[in-house]
Amino acid sequence: MKIIVLVKHVPDAQFDRHLTGEGYTTDRDESILSELDEYALEAALQLAEARGGAKAGNQVIALSMGPSGAVNAIKKALQIGATEGVHLTDDALAGSDAAATSLALAAAIRHLGNDAPVDLVLTGMASTDGETSLVPAQLAERLDLPQVTFASSLEVDGGRLTARRDADTSSETVEAPLPAVVSVTDQINEPRYPNFKGIIAAKRKSITTLSLADIGVDPAQVGLAGSWTSVLSAEERPPRTAGTIITDEGDAGIKLVDFLAAQKLL
């Protein structure tokens, strides 16, 4: 199988997030591999390993779009077990929204399928920065492929996949022919950690760098110019104010009700 896993370099949730530049884009100085993408990567590795792994010709390609720092997300994916990495980077991509991102990624996936067809495209359920969950569906539309979103289990048998989608009160099992685009939830598996052997092996794995020219995308179609949405203004969230302390002098219950009523919470 040839599986492409989309991995994203996102701001580390341990730090405050900031917007920068005229387009109010996310500052990515303190960034890591998106935690939700690790579930997609683990799903891909399990499918490949069940078929004999890399020795049997199975490929798990980690594809990331972003500035130079995004290569770190690819390196982490290689350490975890991906067989190779692809970094789509171009100055014109800066500020791309979900629509422009899906356009560029779809072109990159087509490019990667030139030598051998892509069997499966896997993504996380959302990115931990934008959290729109739009890109998987848009990718499927642009690639003219079946899509299965929010899969909490995934099996592939021959040329078909079977996935379970869990809702609040029910679950459904869906099937689709390959190739397909599938987004997986954080309930599908338990991602593995890079071990020493994987970290050493990753240094021998290749990372291919692609530009917009390489994949045949006009710079005007992406970035701020090609985006369907834009941020017109933004401001820092005001600091938290000190809380209200209620001292119980026998009437704490009444004071609490009065406070909630004043905040229009009752």
Side-chain angles (χ1 to χ4, degrees), residues 187-209:
Q187 302 300 308
I188 193 169
N189 54 46
E190 188 65 35
R192 67 194 72 180
Y193 292 97
N195 54 31
F196 181 75
K197 182 179 178 181
I199 293 172
I200 297 300
K203 295 180 180 181
R204 300 190 297 271
K205 297 176 181 177
S206 66
I207 298 178
T208 302
T209 301

Side-chain angles (χ1 to χ4, degrees), residues 27-43:
D27 185 344
R28 301 183 182 276
D29 286 343
E30 301 286 349
S31 295
I32 58 173
L33 168 62
S34 176
E35 178 184 351
L36 293 176
D37 291 342
E38 294 187 24
Y39 296 92
L41 179 59
E42 178 64 29

Side-chain angles (χ1 to χ4, degrees), residues 23-225:
Y24 301 104
T25 55
T26 304
D27 185 344
R28 301 183 182 276
D29 286 343
E30 301 286 349
S31 295
I32 58 173
L33 168 62
S34 176
E35 178 184 351
L36 293 176
D37 291 342
E38 294 187 24
Y39 296 92
L41 179 59
E42 178 64 29
L45 293 174
Q46 290 183 13
L47 289 172
E49 290 167 354
R51 287 156 181 77
K55 292 181 179 180
N58 296 284
Q59 295 174 275
V60 176
I61 303 171
L63 169 61
S64 186
M65 174 184 130
S68 58
V71 75
N72 292 322
I74 299 172
K75 290 179 178 179
K76 176 72 176 294
L78 295 178
Q79 292 172 355
I80 293 173
T83 53
E84 60 185 280
V86 176
H87 184 197
L88 175 59
T89 183
D90 198 295
D91 290 343
L93 289 166
S96 294
D97 67 355
T101 296
S102 65
L103 185 148
L105 288 174
I109 292 169
R110 290 192 201 97
H111 177 83
L112 294 174
N114 285 338
D115 58 340
V118 175
D119 297 297
L120 188 60
V121 179
L122 289 178
T123 79
M125 60 191 289
S127 63
T128 54
D129 52 355
E131 298 185 1
T132 65
S133 299
L134 294 174
V135 169
Q138 292 182 359
L139 265 181
E141 174 68 19
R142 294 187 186 281
L143 294 170
D144 193 26
L145 294 177
Q147 66 154 328
V148 176
T149 55
F150 302 107
S152 54
S153 73
L154 178 63
E155 297 177 0
V156 174
D157 185 9
R160 296 190 69 82
L161 66 85
T162 303
R164 190 183 75 248
R165 305 176 76 245
D166 294 329
D168 291 338
T169 59
S170 63
S171 296
E172 62 180 3
T173 299
V174 296
E175 294 184 354
L178 296 180
V181 177
V182 179
S183 69
V184 304
T185 72
D186 55 358
Q187 302 300 308
I188 193 169
N189 54 46
E190 188 65 35
R192 67 194 72 180
Y193 292 97
N195 54 31
F196 181 75
K197 182 179 178 181
I199 293 172
I200 297 300
K203 295 180 180 181
R204 300 190 297 271
K205 297 176 181 177
S206 66
I207 298 178
T208 302
T209 301
L210 297 176
S211 66
L212 291 177
D214 293 325
I215 60 175
V217 171
D218 184 344
Q221 295 179 286
V222 296
L224 294 174

